[in-house]
Amino acid sequence: MNETGFEKLVKTSDSNKAIRLTGPQKAAILFAELGKAVTDQMTASFTTKQLHLLRNTMKNLGPINTKTEIAVLEQALHYGTQNGLWDISAAIKTDVARRSTTLRSAASSNPSAMAGLISSWLDTAEDKDKDPKEDQ
């Protein structure tokens, strides 16, 4: 299945259902999940434009179901483990509360890495809006 635009297909581990989220939506869910104490450490890593997009996305997101939240947490855990940012692969197999706590701990110990992941998700919105002629 091909990805279209900046939407990503996120699969949950406990279901075959797929949830279609934009990069900024995933960033907003993860940002909210990390909590203020952790995200305060990251805000300096974002541009003003990214922070504005993040705030607007969070404001317009609406209620998030547990499966969607789990899918975003799993994607963040996988990303960090695969890219050597943190070694928490065992947390992927644990319950949701433990995944969330482990991810918060990883973000606290390496806020710039977590900010990099969130930035990459936010930047997908810029890629969508970018004029293809700019690359030529």
Side-chain angles (χ1 to χ4, degrees):
M1 174 183 272
N2 292 336
E3 294 177 347
T4 58
F6 67 109
E7 293 181 322
K8 305 290 182 190
L9 195 59
V10 180
K11 292 190 177 180
T12 63
S13 62
D14 57 351
S15 170
N16 289 329
K17 290 185 177 181
I19 304 159
R20 199 169 286 284
L21 296 171
T22 66
Q25 287 171 326
K26 289 189 285 185
I29 292 167
L30 180 57
F31 200 79
E33 181 63 33
L34 292 174
K36 185 170 175 23
V38 175
T39 57
D40 281 350
Q41 299 175 50
M42 292 188 275
T43 54
S45 300
F46 300 114
T47 66
T48 303
K49 187 175 182 178
Q50 287 174 324
L51 286 171
H52 182 70
L53 176 60
L54 189 57
R55 278 188 211 108
N56 283 339
T57 304
M58 289 175 82
K59 184 172 88 175
N60 296 318
L61 199 54
I64 301 300
N65 67 38
T66 304
K67 286 184 180 184
T68 301
E69 185 178 342
I70 291 169
V72 172
L73 290 174
E74 287 178 348
Q75 189 170 6
L77 287 167
H78 282 290
Y79 174 87
T81 302
Q82 289 174 346
N83 291 290
L85 302 176
W86 44 75
D87 185 19
I88 53 177
S89 55
I92 294 168
K93 297 176 182 155
T94 63
D95 62 74
V96 177
R98 172 107 190 219
R99 282 182 236 169
S100 182
T101 301
T102 303
L103 199 54
R104 251 188 244 104
S105 175
S108 291
S109 63
N110 194 348
S112 62
M114 187 63 69
L117 168 59
I118 291 171
S119 289
S120 71
W121 284 344
L122 290 169
D123 290 344
T124 60
E126 291 177 10
D127 293 343
K128 180 184 180 222
D129 296 332
K130 187 176 176 184
D131 184 352
K133 294 176 187 173
E134 291 177 15
D135 291 334
Q136 297 175 353

